[in-house]
Structure formats: C-alpha cells, structure tokens
C-alpha cells in the first residue's frame, strides 16, 4: 500500500504498474480511464493523465482515442524494462519542489517575476515548477490540486482576476499551507502576499499632476475585481483628488474586456471629456492605443494631454512613439525574489503569514 506522503501522481503510477505486472500476459488488457483513476485516488484528472503519459513514454501502454488505454503486448517484464527509468524518476520526485502559478508569460512583468523567484531558489534545495493558468480560474483550481498531488512543499500564485475568490486558495489559507500570492491581496484571507505599492504610486502620480496645475485628471484601467490590485490604484487616485481643494470631479473609465471594445470606449471617453488635460492609464497595448487615439484626434502629448502610464511594457517602442509618457514602473524581479524567499521561510520556519509591499518607481525622463 502506498505511503500517504507519496505524491498522488506516483501512487497512481505504482497502482498501474502493478496492474500491468499482473495482467501483462492478457492480450490487449484494458486499463482504467483517467476519470476512473481520478475517482479512485480522489485526485485531479491531470494527476491521472500524468501517470498514464509517463507509462506511455516508457512504452508500457498504448492509448487509442475513444477506446481506452491498453497494456503493450510486447512487454515481458516491465520491472526489468523500466527499472532505471523508475529509479531516475523517483530520485527526481523526491527533490523538494515549489510550484508557481502565473496567468501567462506574454509580458515582461510576468517573466521578470519568474526570473526573480528562480534566482532566489537557485541557492536552496528547492526546484521551481512553473504552471501557466492562462488567467483561467478553473485551470488555476486544477493546477493547485495537481501541485498538491505532486507533493510540492509550497505555492507561489499570481491569481487570475475574477469576481469571486478561488475556493482552492481559500482551502490553502484554512489549511495553513505555505502559500504566497503575487501582486494581489485577498481581503479577509490570512495568506501571505508580495505586491507593488499600488495605492501610493497612484496617489503620488495624481498629486504630481495636480501640482503641475491639472484640474481635470482622467484615470483609465480595467474594472476592479476581488483579486485585483486595480482597486488600490483607484483609491490612491481618488484620495489625491479629494485631498486637493476644489478637485472633486473624477473622470474614471473602466475598460471592457476586448481590445476592440476598449479602443471604442477610449474614443468615446475622450470625445465626451474634452476638458481632461492629464490621464493616468494602464500600460501595454492599452497605453499604446491611447497615444494613437490622442494623436488621431489632432491632439498631442503633453501639450494637450499629459500621460502617466503603468509599466514600461512598451520600452522597445519608445523611440518610435510621438511622445514619451511618464511611466510608473513596478519591480517584478524583486516581487518574484521576495515571494520565493517568503514561501521558503514559511516552509522551513512554519511562521505565520506576512506581507511585503514593494515600492514602485515613477520615471519622469527616459
């Protein structure tokens, strides 16, 4: 019987190896399906699929779409045939791992977070296993369960934006499993996080524009969600306006989901708010399109509209832009490094949750 501490992936594989050993002389013996294995071991389908894929890679089984999984009839003794592979795999699986879940790797921000985490863990006995959730909460749930099935010692999670908490993250919090959230904090959950100082960066940026004499300052961003840092930026913007005498009007635009709809909403926003003389906006594609739209309306920056954009995702295009906006730059490498350090400490010290706020830089000149 498998040890309870053995990762579920390995338990499933060992179970299948025994079935193969017992039934290898039966031609085309059919093995349990992914769903059946997941139910039997109370595991995720990903864990069951990983075990089956591993056996298929070793030529112990073959799979026919729509028909099932069968023992390879050419096997004489699977234990002799795969002994060196099993030993090698066991050695690898016995290494301590930390799993890191990120929405994607299509931005410099995410890549630098990953690089920061890897840099810290290189000096430890832990290996970083990266999982891409595609900003999909269902995938995020599956990968959290899979990480636990694999026997990971700790989790670093860059949560997907969603209106509701991921229940798997709630379970991690309740079970005191070593977990660190990246660039997010979930109100009401006792769970560690490392995040940028979103409130103060927006507050300082807005005050900078107020000090320059701007009285109608716009703010463009995706809508705030439960697991989003956007709400803190909005609060910083609102606080700066409310603290300044005579500046009560807020010109917020919460962007729709698709790029086409975002472009349309920005055009309408600028057409209806012709008195706006400065805008704080998220960077990336949205920031680039904002600049393009401003110039298409025969306006210029900063003469007509002064821009402050979040994150320098467009640095490679800077020399080709008609203007050079002020940039609020986060420190993703440090966020990743501090996240890995924090989860390492949680694993080894069994310490209580803690939070780290990483300062952002406002770059006025490029």
């Amino acid at each position: 019987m498998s040890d309870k501490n053995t990762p579920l992936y390995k338990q499933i594989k060992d179970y299948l190896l025994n079935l193969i050993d017992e039934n290898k002389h039966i031609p085309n013996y059919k093995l349990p399906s992914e769903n059946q294995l997941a139910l039997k071991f109370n595991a995720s389908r990903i864990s069951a699929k990983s075990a089956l894929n591993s056996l298929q890679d070793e030529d112990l089984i073959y799979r026919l779409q729509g028909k099932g999984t069968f023992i390879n009839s050419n096997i004489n003794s699977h234990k002799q045939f795969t002994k060196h592979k099993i030993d090698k795999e066991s050695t690898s699986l016995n290494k301590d791992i930390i799993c890191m879940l990120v929405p994607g790797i299509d931005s410099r921000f995410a890549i630098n977070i990953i690089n920061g985490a890897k840099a810290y863990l290189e000096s430890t006995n832990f290996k970083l296993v990266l999982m891409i959730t595609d900003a999909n909460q269902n995938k995020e749930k599956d990968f959290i369960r899979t990480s636990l099935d694999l026997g990971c010692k700790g989790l670093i999670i860059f949560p997907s934006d969603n209106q509701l908490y991921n229940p798997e993250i709630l379970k991690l919090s309740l079970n005191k499993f070593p977990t660190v959230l990246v660039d997010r904090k979930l109100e009401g959950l006792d769970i560690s996080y490392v995040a940028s100082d979103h409130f103060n960066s927006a507050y300082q940026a807005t005050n900078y524009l107020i000090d320059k004499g701007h009285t109608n300052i716009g703010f463009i961003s995706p809508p705030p969600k439960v697991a989003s840092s956007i709400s803190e930026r909005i609060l910083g913007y609102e606080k700066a306006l409310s603290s300044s005498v005579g500046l009560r009007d807020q010109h917020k635009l919460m962007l729709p989901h698709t790029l086409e709809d975002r472009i349309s909403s920005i055009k309408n926003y600028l057409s209806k708010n012709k008195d706006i003389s400065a805008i704080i906006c998220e960077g990336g594609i949205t920031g680039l399109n904002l600049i393009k739209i401003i110039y298409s309306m025969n306006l210029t920056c900063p003469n007509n509209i002064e821009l402050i954009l979040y994150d320098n995702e467009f640095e490679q295009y800077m020399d080709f832009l008609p203007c050079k906006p002020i940039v609020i730059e986060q420190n993703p490498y440090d966020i990743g490094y501090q996240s890995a350090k924090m989860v390492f400490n949680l694993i080894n010290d069994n310490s209580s949750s803690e939070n780290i706020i990483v300062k952002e830089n406002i770059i006025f000149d490029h």
Side-chain angles (χ1 to χ4, degrees), residues 27-82:
N28 301 316
Y29 182 86
K30 188 174 182 180
L31 293 168
S33 67
E34 289 177 15
N35 283 335
Q36 290 170 330
L37 291 168
L39 286 171
K40 180 178 179 62
F41 286 87
N42 193 25
S44 66
R45 280 192 62 188
I46 295 176
S47 295
K49 184 175 182 179
S50 296
L52 288 168
N53 285 344
S54 178
L55 294 173
Q56 186 174 22
D57 289 342
E58 295 172 13
D59 293 325
L60 298 178
I61 62 173
Y62 65 96
R63 309 177 79 178
L64 297 176
Q65 188 172 1
K67 294 185 177 181
T69 303
F70 304 88
I71 296 176
N72 191 329
S73 58
N74 294 325
I75 296 174
N76 291 319
S77 174
H78 80 273
K79 289 183 178 177
Q80 292 178 6
F81 182 73
T82 63

Side-chain angles (χ1 to χ4, degrees), residues 204-262:
Q204 291 170 12
T206 307
N207 272 331
Y208 166 81
L209 295 172
I210 292 171
D211 290 343
K212 289 195 69 176
H214 294 286
T215 56
N216 291 287
I217 301 169
F219 189 94
I220 300 176
S221 82
K225 296 179 180 179
V226 168
S228 178
S229 54
I230 300 299
S231 57
E232 294 181 21
R233 295 179 182 177
I234 293 173
L235 288 173
Y237 163 77
E238 292 174 342
K239 178 66 175 177
L241 290 181
S242 64
S243 299
S244 182
V245 177
L247 290 184
R248 301 288 178 182
D249 292 337
Q250 298 173 11
H251 301 278
K252 296 194 294 283
L253 171 63
M254 300 294 101
L255 295 167
H257 181 67
T258 67
L259 179 60
E260 183 179 355
D261 289 341
R262 288 187 174 195

